[in-house]
Amino acid sequence: MNGMLSIVGIGPGSEKLLTPMAREAIESADLVVGYKPYVDSLHFVIKDQDITTNGMTSEVERARVSVEQALSGRRVAIVSSGDAGIYAMGSLVYELLQHHGWKDGDPLKVDMIPGVTAAISCASLVGTPLAHDSCTISLSDLLTPWELIERRIAAAASADFAITFYNPRSRRRQEHIRIAQRILLEHRDAETPVAIVKDAYREGQVITLSTLGEFVDCEFGMTASVIIGNSQSYRYGDKIITPRGYSRKYNLENGAVKSGQKRGRSLNTEVGETA
Amino acid sequence: MNGMLSIVGIGPGSEKLLTPMAREAIESADLVVGYKPYVDSLHFVIKDQDITTNGMTSEVERARVSVEQALSGRRVAIVSSGDAGIYAMGSLVYELLQHHGWKDGDPLKVDMIPGVTAAISCASLVGTPLAHDSCTISLSDLLTPWELIERRIAAAASADFAITFYNPRSRRRQEHIRIAQRILLEHRDAETPVAIVKDAYREGQVITLSTLGEFVDCEFGMTASVIIGNSQSYRYGDKIITPRGYSRKYNLENGAVKSGQKRGRSLNTEVGETA
């Protein structure tokens, strides 16, 4: 009767981007819980597990079923697209566990399994737009005051972060992305490259490349990710490249480091390899 | 003679977090290029492929070998830990391709394969600290002026982003993280939870939980990720939970939406499921 609750990020939804760790958690579960289209996309790992799915408006219900079933001793996998800890089910599940008095060390074991979040999967399809400092901002003001969201956009714009907008637009919320654009244009060139990616690595994938000056006129909805380059980002064919910094201290010809580098530091001891 | 160049994110380095897409690219390569410890960690997929590895100070050299070998018609996989497009090899590879005049549509095919970046893998080990808007900031000033890095820290602090610091400290650079702490303390409580994660999902994994007021006294180096919660983040046992917003509009008892929600919107139509 020792339950198991795995909070699983399934990545963008392609079998090839589901990690073995996530696959194993789903395969070994008695019950898989999730938003119906995501659970459906897992048909290749779902055999005789029970399934609880429902619509997008029922996240609390999904979290509740997962926690209660796991507390009763079942092995439950609750799945989120992307990573389960980024704008997803993870926090809700922990809040419910807390509500039920669960503590680490209790018979019920709880595990987060990381996944490839939308910013990363979408970025990979258009080059390396997020290669340097970047941030994610959700434009949904349902649980966050719009004033704070606007403040975040201004902060990110002025400090030259590349930005990935989640929930960029919904039927009822057409203006937020235009306000974001106006704020960004106060700090960044209208030619700054922008990518809009919908259904990355899924059937119906749509990639649109545009510019900060024009992207709001493109067609996209809530499930798209909108990636805004920083001041150094540039278009290279159908890719957006953000350099790894603001100075070019390396020589592409022979790998040697150009002069100008600070004494006592070699070029690459501090860049890159920790991502 | 149609080469193939796969720029592969291998995740934190555990076989269980290597995506099937990444695995396939490495398995089908003639040549695997990477920083030696990362290539060594791939022993389970490396059979008769050629291997070019070298130390961390030779990133440009690794990118150059990869591009030249792929242009000569070989199938090359260049690997980065985490995601290859986040503080990693991706941009350098594209800059070198451009230097060689490569264009999309040329016989050489180039592919980015997304991976689980350090912010995500580290966060998953300590709960859901990045569940809402967050940013990543590298504290290395090798290619970025320190003034800009400081401006980014201040912007992120004042707009209440959760923050993941990459390259938080090196032997020669002990002060940056202390400056970051001072800036953050101007905007955020000293009790704000902080996680320091080293070697996530690898042998020797170390997780340290601390607070904004005290974390700089913990032991950590360049390869650790330091995650700072936002103003709403809280400790729950050995986890850090960041709620998905600033208002509690949902009722954990029965999934119903509490009053106070804007008319015409259902709770979850705009949260979460796009990560």
Side-chain angles (χ1 to χ4, degrees):
Chain A
M1 285 297 284
N2 290 358
M4 171 84 206
L5 177 54
S6 298
I7 309 167
V8 183
I10 63 168
S14 152
E15 178 171 1
K16 291 194 168 183
L17 291 172
L18 181 74
T19 66
M21 196 182 286
R23 185 175 187 126
E24 200 178 297
I26 296 165
E27 280 175 343
S28 67
D30 307 319
L31 170 67
V32 178
V33 179
Y35 175 48
K36 191 166 184 318
Y38 299 144
V39 174
D40 288 348
S41 80
L42 294 168
H43 55 86
F44 55 90
V45 273
I46 297 201
K47 300 205 164 68
D48 49 9
Q49 303 97 313
D50 289 338
I51 292 173
T52 296
T53 64
N54 54 22
M56 202 179 252
T57 52
S58 310
E59 286 192 319
V60 178
E61 179 59 19
R62 289 204 294 281
R64 195 165 63 85
V65 168
S66 304
V67 167
E68 287 173 5
Q69 292 292 310
L71 283 168
S72 82
R74 300 185 76 188
R75 295 177 66 86
V76 178
I78 178 165
V79 301
S80 280
S81 74
D83 179 78
I86 313 275
Y87 303 115
M89 297 296 294
S91 295
L92 203 48
V93 170
Y94 277 110
E95 288 178 72
L96 274 156
L97 284 165
Q98 195 171 12
H99 184 75
H100 281 276
W102 176 86
K103 305 183 299 304
D104 217 6
D106 281 1
L108 169 61
K109 198 173 168 313
V110 178
D111 227 6
M112 288 276 299
I113 296 174
V116 177
T117 184
I120 305 265
S121 57
C122 293
S124 72
L125 292 167
V126 297
T128 59
L130 307 179
H132 200 247
D133 300 339
S134 79
C135 67
T136 58
I137 301 176
S138 166
L139 291 186
S140 166
D141 63 347
L142 195 59
L143 300 174
T144 302
W146 174 251
E147 298 68 35
L148 176 58
I149 298 172
E150 222 175 282
R151 194 144 58 84
R152 283 193 175 139
I153 299 165
S158 70
D160 204 28
F161 283 97
I163 302 170
T164 305
F165 288 117
Y166 284 70
N167 306 307
R169 186 146 73 186
S170 72
R171 244 178 315 135
R172 288 191 187 77
R173 197 166 39 72
Q174 296 284 324
E175 271 313 297
H176 287 179
I177 192 76
R178 292 187 182 274
I179 299 172
Q181 180 199 34
R182 279 202 294 277
I183 296 170
L184 279 158
L185 281 170
E186 291 169 22
H187 300 273
R188 233 166 271 187
D189 199 273
E191 293 303 311
T192 303
V194 171
I196 303 162
V197 183
K198 192 178 163 295
D199 291 331
Y201 296 96
R202 280 206 291 258
E203 216 183 288
Q205 169 183 297
V206 183
I207 298 170
T208 310
L209 294 179
S210 184
T211 62
L212 185 56
E214 296 182 344
F215 80 99
V216 293
D217 297 324
C218 301
E219 213 178 296
F220 58 89
M222 194 176 81
T223 63
S225 293
V226 174
I227 299 176
I228 316 279
N230 75 12
S231 66
Q232 308 297 301
S233 306
Y234 62 91
R235 275 287 290 275
Y236 168 35
D238 65 352
K239 298 288 178 271
I240 299 174
I241 309 302
T242 298
R244 300 193 306 167
Y246 289 77
S247 44
R248 291 289 294 271
K249 286 175 181 161
Y250 42 88
N251 182 336
L252 296 182
E253 282 298 334
N254 58 17
V257 175
K258 279 186 181 167
S259 64
Q261 192 189 345
K262 288 177 190 169
R263 183 178 296 274
R265 292 190 181 173
S266 61
L267 172 65
N268 294 301
T269 49
E270 301 192 297
V271 280
E273 292 293 344
T274 59
Chain B
M1 287 293 286
N2 290 358
M4 172 83 206
L5 178 53
S6 298
I7 310 166
V8 182
I10 64 169
S14 151
E15 178 170 1
K16 290 195 167 179
L17 290 172
L18 180 75
T19 66
M21 194 182 285
R23 185 175 187 125
E24 199 178 297
I26 296 165
E27 280 175 342
S28 67
D30 306 319
L31 171 66
V32 178
V33 179
Y35 174 49
K36 190 165 186 316
Y38 299 144
V39 174
D40 288 348
S41 80
L42 294 168
H43 56 85
F44 56 89
V45 274
I46 298 202
K47 300 204 166 67
D48 49 8
Q49 303 99 313
D50 289 336
I51 292 174
T52 296
T53 64
N54 54 21
M56 204 180 248
T57 53
S58 311
E59 286 192 319
V60 177
E61 179 60 19
R62 289 203 295 280
R64 196 166 62 84
V65 167
S66 304
V67 166
E68 286 173 6
Q69 292 291 311
L71 283 168
S72 80
R74 300 185 78 189
R75 296 177 66 87
V76 178
I78 179 166
V79 301
S80 281
S81 75
D83 179 77
I86 313 276
Y87 304 113
M89 298 296 294
S91 295
L92 204 48
V93 170
Y94 276 111
E95 287 178 72
L96 274 157
L97 285 165
Q98 194 171 12
H99 184 75
H100 281 276
W102 177 86
K103 306 184 299 304
D104 218 6
D106 281 1
L108 169 61
K109 200 172 168 310
V110 178
D111 227 6
M112 289 277 298
I113 297 175
V116 177
T117 186
I120 305 265
S121 57
C122 294
S124 73
L125 291 168
V126 295
T128 59
L130 308 178
H132 200 246
D133 300 338
S134 80
C135 66
T136 59
I137 300 176
S138 166
L139 291 187
S140 165
D141 62 348
L142 195 60
L143 300 173
T144 302
W146 175 251
E147 298 68 35
L148 176 58
I149 298 171
E150 221 175 283
R151 195 142 58 82
R152 281 192 177 140
I153 299 165
S158 71
D160 204 28
F161 283 98
I163 303 171
T164 305
F165 288 116
Y166 284 70
N167 306 308
R169 185 146 71 183
S170 73
R171 244 178 316 134
R172 290 192 186 74
R173 197 166 41 68
Q174 296 283 325
E175 270 313 297
H176 288 180
I177 193 75
R178 291 187 183 273
I179 300 172
Q181 179 199 34
R182 279 202 293 277
I183 297 171
L184 280 157
L185 282 170
E186 290 169 22
H187 300 273
R188 232 166 270 185
D189 198 274
E191 293 303 310
T192 304
V194 170
I196 302 163
V197 184
K198 193 179 165 296
D199 292 331
Y201 297 98
R202 279 205 292 260
E203 215 182 290
Q205 168 183 298
V206 183
I207 299 170
T208 310
L209 293 179
S210 184
T211 61
L212 184 56
E214 298 183 344
F215 79 101
V216 293
D217 297 323
C218 300
E219 211 178 298
F220 57 90
M222 196 177 79
T223 62
S225 294
V226 175
I227 301 177
I228 316 277
N230 73 12
S231 66
Q232 307 299 299
S233 305
Y234 62 92
R235 276 286 292 275
Y236 168 36
D238 65 352
K239 297 287 178 273
I240 298 174
I241 308 303
T242 298
R244 301 193 305 169
Y246 290 77
S247 44
R248 291 289 295 272
K249 286 175 179 161
Y250 42 88
N251 183 336
L252 297 181
E253 281 298 334
N254 57 19
V257 175
K258 280 187 180 165
S259 63
Q261 194 191 344
K262 288 177 188 169
R263 183 177 295 276
R265 293 189 179 173
S266 62
L267 172 65
N268 294 302
T269 50
E270 300 192 297
V271 277
E273 292 293 346
T274 60

